[in-house]
Amino acid sequence: LGKSEFTGQACAAVALGGVFLGEPVTKAPVLVVTLDEPVGDTVRRLVNRGVTAGVFFYEERPSLPQLEAAIVTHGVRLLVIDSVTEFVAGLVEDMNRASDWQPILKGLRTLAQRTRCAVVLIHHANKSTGRYRDSSQLGAGCDIIAEMSAVESDATLRKLVIRGRGVHGTVMARLVEGTYELEDAREMPLSVKIVRVVTANPGISLAKLRAAVGGNAAAAAREIERLEKQGAIENRGGSGRGVGKAYYATTPPAAVEAGPGMPG
């Protein structure tokens, strides 16, 4: 689904003092416990975002005292554990038993409180429900749960259901040129939404483009045709009825109404 990519973007924003999902973040050191993928993949992800310093790694599971010492020594303000399953391997006998999870989660919570470091735990979802899997103690031990799921009609779109202390709701994030951006279909002009979908999905068919845009199908069809005539998008596939169309964004795109993630 892209959980590591999503949190990697957040790590880069903190390390650089940049912006994450439209919100500015304070520059600070980051610590990543990268157990679920080769550390080289994590490093490349950060380097591709301009990070050259300020991120520390554990390639093997550290003890809680080791984690706390690293956080204090380096002034870390964001700790990411990827993934929880790998972190508790050999420590949790029954993944569904709350009593097995409780001491580990309590230790991480105490660490966060003592060091004032934010802790992000990456975990896997239950494929049948989309909710986090294993013991409910996992959710009880966290301040906020963000459950990421795919959107069937658009491979670049992710839905995040947010639940927690003082925070709740649904957030849509789109992967545009390797970066997640907030997607707000309610406020975004139809023309901008179409161009963004086409930009993120080169060669998308007419049917998939309409499905990704949603709303009134006739209005979407008219706007797609208008943008094609305007030169903002182009069809490189078939041109007749029943013939597959393939839409691409023009480079540079013709002027369209500016919106989230689009140049002015």
Side-chain angles (χ1 to χ4, degrees):
L1 287 174
K3 297 186 293 297
S4 297
E5 183 67 39
F6 189 80
T7 52
Q9 183 178 329
C11 289
V14 174
L16 296 170
V19 174
F20 180 62
L21 297 182
E23 295 288 339
V25 296
T26 302
K27 183 177 180 179
V30 176
L31 176 59
V32 182
V33 181
T34 175
L35 307 174
D36 214 37
E37 67 178 7
V39 70
D41 291 351
T42 308
V43 170
R44 278 188 289 273
R45 181 181 297 119
L46 293 167
V47 170
N48 288 340
R49 296 189 178 280
V51 179
T52 58
V55 181
F56 302 88
F57 301 92
Y58 273 110
E59 295 182 70
E60 297 181 358
R61 181 180 64 207
S63 65
L64 290 179
Q66 285 176 317
L67 269 181
E68 183 166 350
I71 290 170
V72 172
T73 299
H74 301 295
V76 171
R77 287 295 172 264
L78 173 62
L79 165 65
V80 175
I81 296 179
D82 187 7
S83 65
V84 176
T85 302
E86 294 288 343
F87 188 77
V88 302
L91 302 177
V92 172
E93 183 177 340
D94 185 343
M95 301 293 275
N96 292 302
R97 190 161 58 204
S99 59
D100 283 13
W101 283 97
Q102 194 274 337
I104 297 171
L105 295 171
K106 181 180 179 180
L108 289 170
R109 189 164 56 249
T110 300
L111 179 150
Q113 291 167 347
R114 277 209 298 257
T115 63
R116 300 183 63 82
C117 177
V119 179
V120 175
L121 308 177
I122 300 180
H123 194 45
H124 301 294
N126 185 308
K127 291 183 178 180
S128 61
T129 65
R131 306 289 298 274
Y132 66 88
R133 70 186 192 193
D134 303 325
S135 172
S136 60
Q137 185 66 30
L138 268 164
C142 298
D143 291 315
I144 295 173
I145 303 166
E147 292 170 331
M148 177 185 281
S149 59
V151 177
E152 188 174 345
S153 61
D154 191 335
T156 65
L157 201 59
R158 293 293 181 268
K159 177 181 178 182
L160 290 102
V161 177
I162 313 296
R163 293 179 286 118
R165 297 176 183 175
V167 182
H168 66 278
T170 300
V171 173
M172 304 297 288
R174 182 181 297 282
L175 190 62
V176 179
E177 296 182 351
T179 298
Y180 280 102
E181 298 176 358
L182 284 181
E183 177 96 346
D184 194 336
R186 296 169 298 175
E187 299 178 4
M188 190 181 300
L190 182 57
S191 59
V192 174
K193 189 172 184 183
I194 291 170
V195 172
R196 290 191 68 184
V197 170
V198 173
T199 301
N201 300 271
I204 189 171
S205 68
L206 177 59
K208 289 185 177 180
L209 177 54
R210 284 178 176 173
V213 170
N216 185 285
R222 288 194 298 269
E223 191 62 17
I224 291 168
E225 184 178 355
R226 187 186 72 80
L227 288 172
E228 191 175 354
K229 289 179 180 178
Q230 187 187 40
I233 61 176
E234 61 179 340
N235 170 32
R236 299 179 190 173
S239 57
R241 287 189 175 182
V243 180
K245 296 187 177 184
Y247 288 97
Y248 293 81
T250 57
T251 307
V256 296
E257 186 177 357
M262 294 294 291

